[in-house]
Every structure is written in C-alpha cells, then in structure tokens.
C-alpha cells in the first residue's frame, strides 16, 4: 500500500524529530520546530506548548508564532482556557466552534476569536505518571480534528516529553530537574528576544527568527546564543553587529 502525502509528512516529521534527539540539540529550538510541524500536518493555524514547573504552574515553552505565544500567555494570565483544563484533567480537549464556549471560558474565548481563531484543541503531555503540560492546537475556522489528527498530535507530544527528559529515565525524581532546565532555557531566549527588539527595532517574531537563523548557521544551540547575548557584554556587541549584518543582507 502506498503512503499518502500526509502519511509521508507525518513519518518525515517523526523521523526528523527523533534524529534530532539522537544528536546534540537545543530544547527550545526543537520544540518550536515541533509546534511548526503540528501546524503543517494538522488542520490548524497555530500551536503552542505549555510546560508545568515543579510547583505545577504552567509556562510557555514553544509556539509557532507571536500570535500563538500571546494567546497561550493570555490563558496563563487569565487562568482560563483549554490548555489549563487539559493540564488539570490530563484529558484531551476538543472544541469545534469557540463561539459556543463563552460560558466555559469567558475570558479566553473573546481573546481567541479576536486573535483570529475559531476552534481549539489541547493534548496532554505525560511522563512518569504525571501530566507535564499541554499542546495547544488553534484553528482559523470552525471544525473538528479527526481522530487521526488527534493521534498525530498525541504522538508529537510524546516526542516532546522525550526531548524534555532527554536520556533520563522518566521517574518523579528525574522529571522535575528537567522541567526546571527546559523552562530556564525558555526564559533566557525570551529575554534575548526582548533585547534584540529594543536594540535592532524589530518585532519579537523577527528577533526569534534571527536567533534561530544565527544559531543554526553557526552550529550553536539557540539557548547558548541567547545566553551569550544576555550575560557577556563583549559577545553581545559582536552578536548584535552580526545580527544587524544579517538583517541588512538582501534575501536571495
């Protein structure tokens, strides 16, 4: 039986992500790529990953875009939304039309619709008998995700959990330090994005794309580049100069 283009895309995504796990990888970059794969493979517009810290407080770890990032952060600030419910219950949430859920999420629904989203789905991330976080999937039009789509989303959350835990056996003792490390890396990247926005007068989305482009081109971890930018004044001067040069170079 011949694979369909979609099946081939799913297999390619899984193989690519697993290959990354077998190499030296950056957790923020890899999981950002995972959310981008979700948007490519599933009938959605955007995706984001929320990860819980050792105190069970959720934090943003990765997103496809600044729009998805802002909506995920809004859920956290408003304490209202599908990803929070998914994390609290450990069960998938699937809503075909957000307009019907205003009573359920009175703060999240207007924000999501205002951002251009019409449907939402959330898939729990699990390891070592605990829910680590949730993968949020946001659609631009009303509609259900098929069971096959939801299974693909669940499979990708398993890859995300493996990436977070890396080579540590998933026990309660080892999970917590890995969660803390992943979240710390994300904070450093967010700080670097903000710095580049101010210094280069670019958007946060452009700043993140610039960090990823430079990290991949130089063979460095995204988080390492961000940390150098934030902690080493000399490295900051050199990096900002290189970033400015990248921005001034015409696209081929």
């Amino acid at each position: 039986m011949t694979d369909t283009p979609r099946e081939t895309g799913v297999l390619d995504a899984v193989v690519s992500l697993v290959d990354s796990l077998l190499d030296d990888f950056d957790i923020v970059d890899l999981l950002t790529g995972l959310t981008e794969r979700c948007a490519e493979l599933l009938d959605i517009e955007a995706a984001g990953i929320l990860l819980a810290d050792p105190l069970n407080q959720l934090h943003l770890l990765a997103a496809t875009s600044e729009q998805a990032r802002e909506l995920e952060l809004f859920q956290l600030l408003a304490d209202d939304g599908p990803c929070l419910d998914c994390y609290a219950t450990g069960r998938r949430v699937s809503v075909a039309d957000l307009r019907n859920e205003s009573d359920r999420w009175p703060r999240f629904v207007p924000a999501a619709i205002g951002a251009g989203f019409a449907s939402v789905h959330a898939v729990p991330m699990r390891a070592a008998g605990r829910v680590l976080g949730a993968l949020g999937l946001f659609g631009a039009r009303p509609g259900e995700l098929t069971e096959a789509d939801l299974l693909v989303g669940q499979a990708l959350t398993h890859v995300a959990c493996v990436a977070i835990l890396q080579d540590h056996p998933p026990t309660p003792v080892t999970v917590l330090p890995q969660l803390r490390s992943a979240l710390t890396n994300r904070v450093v990247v967010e700080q670097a994005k903000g710095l580049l926005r101010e210094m280069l007068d670019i958007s946060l989305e452009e700043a993140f794309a610039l960090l990823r482009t430079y990290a991949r081109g130089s063979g460095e971890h995204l988080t390492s580049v961000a940390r150098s930018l934030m902690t080493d004044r000399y490295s900051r001067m050199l990096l900002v100069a290189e970033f400015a040069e990248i921005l001034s170079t015409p696209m081929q």
Side-chain angles (χ1 to χ4, degrees):
M1 183 174 66
T2 303
D3 287 345
T4 67
R6 184 178 181 280
E7 289 170 337
T8 301
V10 172
L11 291 172
D12 177 66
V14 172
V15 169
S16 176
L17 290 166
V18 171
D19 280 348
S20 297
L21 295 179
L22 297 175
D23 200 358
D24 186 29
F25 68 93
D26 181 272
I27 186 64
V28 176
D29 194 19
L30 186 143
L31 294 185
T32 299
L34 187 148
T35 62
E36 292 168 346
R37 288 287 196 167
C38 287
E40 292 168 5
L41 295 169
L42 309 178
D43 187 19
I44 59 167
E45 182 69 22
I49 292 176
L50 296 181
L51 186 69
D53 64 20
L55 298 178
N56 297 319
Q57 297 298 308
L58 288 169
H59 303 267
L60 178 73
L61 187 59
T64 53
S65 64
E66 282 303 308
Q67 187 181 40
R69 171 185 174 274
E70 289 173 3
L71 186 58
E72 291 281 36
L73 289 175
F74 180 86
Q75 287 191 82
L76 301 180
L77 291 172
D79 193 26
D80 184 60
C83 290
L84 277 68
D85 287 2
C86 177
Y87 174 70
T89 64
R91 297 175 182 172
R92 292 190 312 207
V93 173
S94 188
V95 173
D97 192 338
L98 277 170
R99 292 172 298 183
N100 301 326
E101 301 296 332
S102 294
D103 291 340
R104 185 178 184 182
W105 301 310
R107 293 177 292 279
F108 172 80
V109 168
I113 292 175
F117 299 117
S119 56
V120 65
H121 316 274
V123 182
M125 299 167 56
R126 294 191 186 90
R130 91 182 251 142
V131 181
L132 304 185
L135 170 67
L137 307 170
F138 308 102
R141 59 180 182 272
E144 298 278 1
L145 284 184
T146 65
E147 187 63 24
D149 277 346
L150 290 171
L151 286 174
V152 170
Q154 190 69 72
L156 293 176
T157 66
H158 292 328
V159 175
C161 290
V162 172
I164 292 165
L165 299 176
Q166 300 180 44
D167 59 343
H168 296 269
T171 68
V173 173
T174 59
V175 164
L176 296 183
Q178 296 304 108
L179 296 180
R180 190 178 294 112
S181 175
L183 292 170
T184 298
N185 287 347
R186 181 67 199 188
V187 168
V188 172
V189 172
E190 288 296 314
Q191 290 172 339
K193 284 167 52 180
L195 179 66
L196 290 178
R197 178 180 63 177
E198 295 300 320
M199 297 188 73
L200 298 175
D201 192 25
I202 57 179
S203 69
L204 288 172
E205 196 158 6
E206 290 170 327
F208 187 54
L210 192 57
L211 283 167
R212 290 180 84 189
T213 298
Y214 180 86
R216 292 177 178 183
S218 62
E220 297 181 62
H221 280 191
L222 171 67
T223 305
S224 296
V225 175
R227 186 169 285 111
S228 293
L229 192 65
M230 295 306 302
T231 61
D232 187 316
R233 182 174 297 181
Y234 179 69
S235 294
R236 179 186 302 172
M237 293 172 57
L238 294 178
L239 285 169
V240 170
E242 292 191 56
F243 292 152
E245 185 175 348
I246 292 173
L247 289 172
S248 66
T249 302
M251 297 293 292
Q252 298 297 324

